[in-house]
Amino acid sequence: MPRKKIAKEEEKRVETKLKTKKTKASNLYEDDIEELMILQPVKGMRDILPGEQPYWQKVRKVLEESANNYGFARIDTPTVEFENLFERSIGEESDLIKKETYSFKTKGKEKVILRPEITTSIMRAYIQHGMSVLPKPVKLFSVGKVYRYDQVEEGRYREFRQGNFEIIGENDPVLDAQIIQMTYIILKNLGIKNIQFQVNSVGNPEAQKSYIKVLKNYFNSKKGRLGCSYKDVIEKNPLKIFDSKDEKCIEICSQAPKIIDHLDKESRDHFKSLLEYLDELELPYVINPTLVRGLDYYNRTVFEIYSTDEEGKRHALGGGGRYDYLAENLDGEFTPAIGLGLGMDRLVLEMKRLKAKEYQMPRPRVFLAQLGDLAKKKSLKIFAEIEKAGILVAESFGRGALKSQLIQATKLGVDVTLIIGQKEAIDGTIILKDMLTGTQETIIKEKIVIELKKHLKNSMKVTKSKK
Ligand code: HAM
């Protein structure tokens, strides 16, 4: 019998049995299950069958290769953690903790939780394993399952997979820009189109507190129109009102004070710098002044990534932001950080929708090393230009010493390393170092792509003749 038919028959069998018991699968007790032996996963969880695996392979491969190119080291943390870890990080009052967790007591009476996200676990591991002594920033990458007792629909599951990229230990806005740029490259490499970033700044915790007060006053003044169901929300978490789909509420929100007008000076400067980088990189972004995200740990930069389908429906593929105070909240020392979480199930859905082809990721042939602030600023754009020309390029923005950057270039086995120091950034030049012969030449910035292509063609010939 064909597979689909067998599956349908099994579904029918379960349905008939349930009807006779006048109950729903989600309301079953242990005894019912034992008796019934339901051959289907728990609601919101699913099997990923062999037919779908090539898409997953591709997603994993692109994420892993990007992690490699951008200097992220892999970390795996347990799926089960102590419950209070997430209460501290995400916030006891957040919907995620109050309504969407899978938490339970073990036989040993420990209160545990199936992780509802990965960033907190990574920060827990960072503190616990004394990673603060490592050269900053510490870049960590993780993929794994996440559990949320969410409303189930297409693209929204209770067990799903995330790819996480965390840059820990620095607060330079160039890293915020880089993580957004990297996301863009990942999505492009997966063949995903119509990408839009939404960005905002939520300031430091003090600014957030005073903004919440202003917002409470505003919503209280509109209580008559909002209705009494909002009374509690205004007091406990007025930011949640921004998520409402109710038309009247949306209109009231559109007139609400914006957090961006209540930022502290440092956060304002940080955000301005980020926007300058994003402009320089010509990334498709809009500022969404009501974007605050549902996790309590964010400060300053927050962002989300959407793609839009033919019917104009938007799909949230990922999100992230700064969480400079998370380490402190977990009893560690103050450690600025920024990160990204990509919903892998959603990436696969999007690829299937667009019928994206399987991607073969080659090794990077060029490494971009930079020294000094000005050089870093110039490097972001040059990086994007080289990528755009179809040359796979790696870098290590945020890593200070040239020596450690060159070690990374050697590890990656690139043919060419480009070096931009303070002098080159001012002169508008770039040093091109052939990694095979060790020779160096200085090239005008505007000619870098042409010269690189020539050089890589020659080095390909040399490698072939050596074989
Ligand atoms: P998040 O926005 O809660 O962020 O989740 C990231 C992505 O996971 C979402 O954009 C979406 O693609 C996917 N996702 C969320 N819920 C579901 C669901 N029920 N079913 C399928 N996919 C889902 C975080 O989790 C942060 N930890 C991200 C981060 C990393 N911030 C800093 N570093």
Side-chain angles (χ1 to χ4, degrees):
M1 206 186 314
R3 253 187 12 218
K4 271 195 180 151
K5 207 167 171 197
I6 298 175
K8 274 260 167 277
E9 297 248 316
E10 175 55 23
E11 236 171 66
K12 241 195 218 162
R13 184 184 75 86
V14 171
E15 256 172 39
T16 324
K17 284 241 176 185
L18 289 177
K19 255 185 211 153
T20 55
K21 284 181 95 40
K22 291 197 177 74
T23 184
K24 279 184 173 175
S26 49
N27 293 337
L28 287 175
Y29 293 106
E30 216 171 276
D31 292 349
D32 300 321
I33 290 167
E34 260 173 33
E35 194 189 311
L36 198 57
M37 189 66 215
I38 296 179
L39 293 184
Q40 62 185 49
V42 172
K43 188 174 174 188
M45 318 225 171
R46 68 216 167 95
D47 304 311
I48 298 173
L49 298 177
E52 207 181 81
Q53 292 296 344
Y55 289 100
W56 284 91
Q57 251 165 358
K58 182 171 165 179
V59 169
R60 278 193 288 265
K61 198 166 161 190
V62 169
L63 293 183
E64 273 163 23
E65 291 284 347
S66 294
N68 206 19
N69 292 345
Y70 281 80
F72 286 81
R74 168 99 186 209
I75 180 167
D76 292 304
T77 58
T79 318
V80 182
E81 296 267 10
F82 286 113
E83 189 177 11
N84 60 5
L85 177 70
F86 288 93
E87 285 171 356
R88 278 253 204 126
S89 68
I90 297 172
E92 275 176 279
E93 284 303 319
S94 66
D95 271 1
L96 195 47
I97 289 296
K98 279 176 91 174
K99 300 185 193 156
E100 296 172 14
T101 55
Y102 282 88
S103 41
F104 54 94
K105 260 193 190 158
T106 66
K107 291 197 170 79
K109 307 249 181 302
E110 300 147 306
K111 278 178 144 182
V112 297
I113 184 170
L114 298 185
R115 64 177 174 198
E117 59 112 37
I118 305 182
T119 310
T120 303
S121 299
I122 293 179
M123 189 50 99
R124 196 256 314 125
Y126 175 92
I127 299 168
Q128 183 193 342
H129 300 289
M131 287 191 232
S132 60
V133 300
L134 298 173
K136 307 277 191 332
V138 177
K139 290 175 152 185
L140 298 171
F141 161 68
S142 198
V143 285
K145 287 182 180 171
V146 172
Y147 297 84
R148 293 184 190 173
Y149 198 81
D150 221 332
Q151 289 301 328
V152 179
E153 57 186 41
E154 199 193 28
R156 190 172 292 284
Y157 311 106
R158 290 183 176 172
E159 177 189 72
F160 59 98
R161 284 135 280 256
Q162 275 190 351
N164 273 250
F165 294 81
E166 314 292 350
I167 307 182
I168 306 176
E170 280 204 7
N171 59 16
D172 193 327
V174 73
L175 298 173
D176 307 29
Q178 188 189 30
I179 218 153
I180 294 178
Q181 182 197 31
M182 184 189 72
T183 313
Y184 186 69
I185 291 169
I186 290 174
L187 298 184
K188 283 275 164 197
N189 284 342
L190 289 172
I192 295 175
K193 297 177 188 131
N194 295 328
I195 304 157
Q196 189 195 60
F197 290 94
Q198 297 200 353
V199 295
N200 195 19
S201 175
V202 292
N204 69 20
E206 283 310 308
Q208 284 175 24
K209 263 189 222 149
S210 59
Y211 171 66
I212 298 272
K213 260 193 209 158
V214 174
L215 203 58
K216 273 185 188 171
N217 286 342
Y218 171 77
F219 284 130
N220 273 324
S221 74
K222 306 282 170 201
K223 229 166 24 190
R225 285 187 66 206
L226 275 171
C228 48
S229 59
Y230 282 96
K231 215 171 110 198
D232 251 20
V233 192
I234 296 174
E235 278 324 302
K236 286 194 177 142
N237 187 4
L239 293 171
K240 247 176 71 181
I241 301 177
F242 287 128
D243 292 334
S244 170
K245 305 275 179 283
D246 176 61
E247 262 179 39
K248 211 181 327 154
C249 199
I250 292 171
E251 195 207 314
I252 291 171
C253 287
S254 71
Q255 309 291 320
K258 309 282 181 283
I259 194 159
I260 212 147
D261 300 320
H262 294 264
L263 294 183
D264 49 291
K265 183 176 175 331
E266 280 127 13
S267 298
R268 225 181 4 250
D269 292 346
H270 188 99
F271 193 46
K272 194 169 158 265
S273 267
L274 168 65
L275 298 183
E276 280 168 12
Y277 281 125
L278 297 182
D279 286 336
E280 182 117 345
L281 292 168
E282 294 171 21
L283 288 174
Y285 79 90
V286 292
I287 301 172
N288 176 353
T290 60
L291 178 68
V292 286
R293 301 198 26 84
L295 313 167
D296 267 12
Y297 54 59
Y298 290 115
N299 68 298
R300 292 197 180 165
T301 308
V302 285
F303 64 92
E304 281 182 350
I305 312 109
Y306 292 90
S307 71
T308 312
D309 65 23
E310 301 79 22
E311 283 106 52
K313 197 170 168 221
R314 291 185 318 141
H315 306 267
L317 305 177
R322 272 209 163 268
Y323 50 96
D324 298 336
Y325 299 88
L326 177 59
E328 255 184 353
N329 282 345
L330 300 179
D331 295 339
E333 55 193 48
F334 176 74
T335 311
I338 173 120
L340 153 79
L342 282 169
M344 292 166 74
D345 303 65
R346 298 211 181 151
L347 294 179
V348 168
L349 264 182
E350 199 57 9
M351 283 161 63
K352 281 166 110 179
R353 196 175 63 74
L354 294 163
K355 297 192 176 59
K357 287 195 193 83
E358 198 181 346
Y359 181 77
Q360 291 292 323
M361 184 82 93
R363 80 179 158 87
R365 301 198 63 202
V366 179
F367 187 87
L368 184 57
Q370 37 70 41
L371 214 59
D373 280 346
L374 187 60
K376 195 157 47 181
K377 218 168 198 166
K378 301 280 172 204
S379 300
L380 271 177
K381 184 139 196 198
I382 290 162
F383 184 93
E385 269 169 23
I386 300 171
E387 277 269 356
K388 206 169 156 191
I391 303 168
L392 195 61
V393 51
E395 57 62 57
S396 64
F397 295 137
R399 197 164 290 184
L402 185 60
K403 197 174 157 200
S404 68
Q405 296 189 54
L406 291 178
I407 291 174
Q408 203 191 339
T410 312
K411 261 198 216 157
L412 288 170
V414 295
D415 303 83
V416 168
T417 297
L418 299 177
I419 305 165
I420 309 174
Q422 188 73 1
K423 181 178 177 306
E424 288 74 29
I426 293 167
D427 291 350
T429 58
I430 299 170
I431 297 171
L432 186 152
K433 182 181 166 82
D434 186 312
M435 297 299 275
L436 198 66
T437 61
T439 52
Q440 290 192 182
E441 56 184 296
T442 303
I443 288 166
I444 301 169
K445 196 179 74 190
E446 285 70 26
K447 294 213 164 147
I448 195 62
V449 170
I450 297 172
E451 287 302 317
L452 252 185
K453 279 187 176 165
K454 257 196 248 165
H455 206 93
L456 292 176
K457 214 170 174 184
N458 287 341
S459 76
M460 192 97 98
K461 277 185 204 150
V462 175
T463 324
K464 270 189 187 155
S465 67
K466 277 200 162 182
K467 275 184 188 167

